[in-house]
Amino acid sequence: MRKRFVCGLLALALFVFTLPAAMAASSDVVYLGDAGSDGNSGLAPGECVKTWEKAYELLNDGGTIVVVGTSTVPGSAVPMAAKKATITGSYAGVAGGVLMMPADENMAGLSFGADTTVEHLTVDCSGNSSSYGMFSFYANGHNLTLGEGMNMLPFPASDYTPYPVVQASSPISHLRCLATRLRPAGRLP
């Protein structure tokens, strides 16, 4: 009798301690946005996660991160996990994803740890108070594809329309730009 009780107790403990890991299972599609919470599952637009780190934690290698609404990219480059990914603002009824540069930073960026495609997004620097600035995609020796549907909103205090900066490191990255040109979305009034 005592042996069964101990076995039952061990089985219950095993279930309780493995449940959080099962709930945080990986997915081929993870939704991300400022309106989300890292306590969410990331499995649907209404359950989006908030941070890039959490999105990559939940993402299967080769999966897709869908930006729902706006995702503010921190002022320092966010290091991504070593997972191939597509980052998009258009997927299964979700459209209009925006990568927002913080208002008080002169630099922001995403630092990729594997081959990455970025598509159908607007990089919005229009709310930034800096007279110059840079939004960077760091390829870190990996292949980076800037796909179709990429737009850029410029810095309001600037006389030029900035484009995302692609920074490679050794070994040299491969950059593919599928759009005929990365087009600025225009200056806001």
Side-chain angles (χ1 to χ4, degrees), residues 28-96:
D28 287 335
V29 178
V30 175
Y31 293 87
L32 164 81
D34 284 350
S37 164
D38 282 353
N40 289 345
S41 69
L43 299 178
E47 280 292 311
C48 63
V49 296
K50 185 172 180 100
T51 65
W52 288 92
E53 294 87 352
K54 187 64 174 182
Y56 268 87
E57 176 186 319
L58 297 174
L59 188 69
N60 285 333
D61 190 32
T64 300
I65 295 175
V66 181
V67 178
V68 178
T70 299
S71 174
T72 302
V73 177
S76 58
V78 178
M80 304 301 174
K83 295 179 181 178
K84 290 182 181 180
T86 296
I87 299 170
T88 186
S90 178
Y91 184 88
V94 173

Side-chain angles (χ1 to χ4, degrees), residues 101 123-126 128 130-135 151-165 182-187:
M101 184 166 180
V123 177
D124 187 353
C125 303
S126 66
N128 189 279
S130 173
S131 60
Y132 71 95
M134 186 168 43
F135 188 101
N151 294 299
M152 182 84 178
L153 292 178
F155 295 85
S158 175
D159 291 332
Y160 68 95
T161 300
Y163 292 90
V165 174
L182 185 65
R183 61 180 198 266
R187 189 175 294 281

Side-chain angles (χ1 to χ4, degrees), residues 6-7 34 43 45 57 60 72 77 79 88 102 106 110 121 132 137 140 145 159 162 164 166 178-179 184 186:
V6 171
C7 286
D34 284 350
L43 299 178
E57 176 186 319
N60 285 333
T72 302
T88 186
N106 64 359
L110 300 174
L121 289 164
Y132 71 95
F137 294 117
N140 297 315
T145 301
D159 291 332
V166 176
L178 298 181

